[in-house]
Amino acid sequence: MEVVILDSPADVGTHVANTIETLLTSSDAPVLGLATGSSPLPVYHELIARHRAGSISFEHARAFLLDEYIGIEEGSPQSYRHFIEHELTKHIDLPAEALAGPRLLPDAGTRAGYDYERRIREAGGIDLQLLGIGTDGHIGFNEPSSSLASRTRVKTLMGATRRDNARFFAGDVDAVPKHVITQGIGTILDARHLILIATGAAKAEIVSLAVEGPVTSMVPASALQLHPHATVVLDEPAASQLALHDYYREMFELKPERIGL
Ligand code: GLP
């Protein structure tokens, strides 16, 4: 895994936006995997600024969401589709029909996940998947004990995750749905490049477990250790409990591409 430690969330935004800009300018049909939550927001702010400045376009891109709540209206402010429209897509030139999210259609049953996986495959697979990390180690909404080979499916949230996310429901934990539909860990691992973003001291402990602990379904984000191209981008507080902190900094400075090797 590549671990990139930067000074601030704004630097995280710039770094990850650089990678996305490279993808957008080098591919005729780039496919992005988008994440919700506060961690990717500096990236989205930077992408919007670059789009407004005319340096990047999403006209030929496709985008897939990681997950969605079940039981709240599609357009409601708490839905992840609404979140991503509000924070990113309505400010850029991604065509409306190019944004897809997993949905539990009436009577779809287990087919809902299968249909979403088919849509991702038909788009050619995801080139670059953004991820945050929950304080319990979840990615998407794959809670601890999720199979590392899981595919898109309905999951039940843990109490800790519902409490963390109550801030998006006016602090009312009872208003947070108990069920979600999420890309599985196996689905996420199919993306060609994974970028996990974590900022702030509250993520330091789980980041160290995910990056330096054993690969285990009890820390779903540890599955990134199995991926051939996974990048973890952190600010200093989120990186503060990493045993190899200084080595990661040095490795980044001495990256072969940076020094012309
Ligand atoms: C939610 C989302 C995750 C996200 C996590 C962390 O549970 N389903 O995709 O990574 O929150 O959110 P934040 O970045 O706000 O800490």
Side-chain angles (χ1 to χ4, degrees), residues 28-52:
D28 294 338
V31 183
L32 291 167
L34 300 176
T36 51
S38 40
S39 306
L41 290 180
V43 179
Y44 298 156
H45 296 160
E46 184 63 25
L47 292 176
I48 292 166
R50 291 183 193 197
H51 171 66
R52 288 192 175 139

Side-chain angles (χ1 to χ4, degrees), residues 35-40 66-67 69 80 131-134 138-141 161 165 167-168 203:
T36 51
S38 40
S39 306
L66 271 174
D67 46 15
Y69 288 114
Y80 278 175
L131 298 165
I133 180 169
H138 70 245
I139 47 175
F141 264 136
T161 300
N165 289 355
R167 67 188 195 278
F168 297 113
K203 298 286 173 70

Side-chain angles (χ1 to χ4, degrees), residues 51-62:
H51 171 66
R52 288 192 175 139
S55 49
I56 53 174
S57 169
F58 298 80
E59 204 184 339
H60 303 296
R62 304 273 310 263

Side-chain angles (χ1 to χ4, degrees), residues 222-235:
S222 66
L224 268 70
Q225 295 179 35
L226 299 169
H227 195 280
H229 192 186
T231 308
V232 177
V233 188
L234 308 168
D235 68 354

